[in-house]
Amino acid sequence: MRILLVGAAGTLGSAVHTALTERGHEVIGVGRTRGDLIADVTDPQSVARLYEQAGPLDAVAVAAGDAVFKPLAELTADDFAATLRGKTLSQLELVRQGTRHVAATGSFSLISGILTDEPIVAGAAASAANGAVEAFVRAAAIELAPQRINAVSPTVVEESLPAYGPFFAGMEAVPAARVATAYIRSIEGAQTGQIYRVH
């Protein structure tokens, strides 16, 4: 399959890229500053250019999404807007525009996260963004068929503990390679409207 992977150079994206290429897929990595293609997926015009450059695809997978982590009392309207734009609206736009560029039986694999179900202090914006992604996946699945859409909901990955560990006190981390298996399930499987939780 030809798979567009957004966030391919990140910690999780690198693991997903490796897992997919090892299974014989052609992976087109996308990043803001490096990758096979460069794009800012928070900009709808950049998303349009991305799809034009990528050509026909069998699947789109997202392994990145920006969120602001601050205590609720310190979160500003701009912080919420930035989080929804970086984690939610960017993914919705990839699907909205992508339906015309992905094969009729192709798929979209989005990313949410454990904070949908297990909130933490300073994570209100991220929880809201994740919940919106998951609700969208369930709703879009009933309209996209025969194209499919799922989300992968990971906990914090072991490789990111130095940066994010303090936010996830007491939560068990998992290797990025384990999260990558959920992307394989989403892309190569037959289910749609699913949230694959790797907690």
Side-chain angles (χ1 to χ4, degrees), residues 102-191:
V102 172
T105 56
S107 68
F108 297 89
S109 299
L110 308 186
I111 185 167
S112 60
I114 192 172
L115 299 186
T116 310
D117 304 305
E118 300 287 343
I120 60 172
V121 171
S127 290
N130 288 344
V133 170
E134 294 186 10
F136 172 75
V137 163
R138 288 188 289 268
I142 66 175
E143 297 188 53
L144 286 177
Q147 290 177 333
R148 298 181 301 104
I149 183 169
N150 299 297
V152 175
S153 172
T155 186
V156 63
V157 297
E158 290 176 356
E159 293 86 343
S160 294
L161 284 176
Y164 293 104
F167 288 106
F168 294 87
M171 291 191 188
E172 186 176 352
V174 299
R178 183 176 156 207
V179 180
T181 62
Y183 283 86
I184 293 170
R185 183 179 180 190
S186 178
I187 293 166
E188 295 184 8
Q191 292 183 314

Side-chain angles (χ1 to χ4, degrees), residues 4-184:
L4 191 72
L5 176 59
V6 177
T11 300
L12 176 57
S14 296
V16 175
H17 192 290
T18 297
L20 292 172
T21 54
E22 285 179 351
R23 296 180 67 81
H25 299 296
E26 177 188 352
V27 180
I28 304 162
V30 180
R32 256 182 295 201
T33 58
R34 59 192 170 116
D36 301 311
L37 297 174
I38 306 299
D40 176 3
V41 296
T42 66
D43 176 6
Q45 292 185 338
S46 183
V47 171
R49 288 191 297 271
L50 172 63
Y51 278 124
E52 289 172 6
Q53 294 170 340
L57 298 164
D58 297 297
V60 173
V62 185
D66 294 332
V68 176
F69 288 86
K70 287 182 184 177
L72 182 60
E74 299 175 17
L75 281 168
T76 66
D78 286 343
D79 291 332
F80 274 110
T83 299
L84 290 171
R85 187 169 54 251
K87 186 72 181 274
T88 308
L89 296 178
S90 57
Q91 296 195 84
L92 273 58
E93 189 65 16
L94 282 163
V95 176
R96 189 186 73 81
Q97 294 195 38
T99 56
R100 302 185 300 275
H101 301 275
V102 172
T105 56
S107 68
F108 297 89
S109 299
L110 308 186
I111 185 167
S112 60
I114 192 172
L115 299 186
T116 310
D117 304 305
E118 300 287 343
I120 60 172
V121 171
S127 290
N130 288 344
V133 170
E134 294 186 10
F136 172 75
V137 163
R138 288 188 289 268
I142 66 175
E143 297 188 53
L144 286 177
Q147 290 177 333
R148 298 181 301 104
I149 183 169
N150 299 297
V152 175
S153 172
T155 186
V156 63
V157 297
E158 290 176 356
E159 293 86 343
S160 294
L161 284 176
Y164 293 104
F167 288 106
F168 294 87
M171 291 191 188
E172 186 176 352
V174 299
R178 183 176 156 207
V179 180
T181 62
Y183 283 86
I184 293 170

